[in-house]
Amino acid sequence: MTDLSWLGPRIDVRPLFAGWQAAFVGLLRELDGSPSGADGWNRATACPGWSVQDVAAHVLGDHVGRLSMVRDGHWRLQPGPDEPFPGSSTGSTRSG
């Protein structure tokens, strides 16, 4: 087992998630009602090449994916060995 004692005592951050999630969703709702409308979703972010919509979809997709895996036992489907990844612009395949 890896020694993680150098990190200090464990801190339970779970109580923070509900407030963070509510603030995040509130921020996204403001985009929908903003005068800029769809332009707010298309704004650039600190992540080069990613719009606000890209980051929101990534974060929310991760949350839904974790919920479905942990709570519901649904693991994401993956391409089989040597099958192309859907939507891949490079035609990459999974070697296995």
Side-chain angles (χ1 to χ4, degrees):
M1 181 172 227
T2 304
D3 178 23
L4 301 177
S5 62
W6 61 274
L7 292 171
R10 290 184 179 201
I11 301 170
D12 186 3
V13 298
R14 290 175 294 175
L16 303 175
F17 290 140
W20 179 88
Q21 182 73 19
F24 184 67
V25 170
L27 196 66
L28 297 178
R29 284 190 175 132
E30 286 178 20
L31 286 173
D32 274 346
S34 70
S36 61
D39 293 336
W41 288 99
N42 294 321
R43 272 188 284 185
T45 66
C47 301
W50 286 54
S51 67
V52 169
Q53 181 177 354
D54 295 331
V55 172
H58 176 76
V59 170
L60 295 173
D62 186 58
H63 291 176
V64 170
R66 287 179 190 276
L67 179 64
S68 70
M69 287 185 287
V70 175
R71 186 193 71 185
D72 303 331
H74 294 287
W75 296 91
R76 74 186 93 139
L77 298 175
Q78 297 181 0
D82 299 319
E83 288 183 322
F85 282 101
S88 172
S89 61
T90 62
S92 298
T93 59
R94 176 176 171 242
S95 296

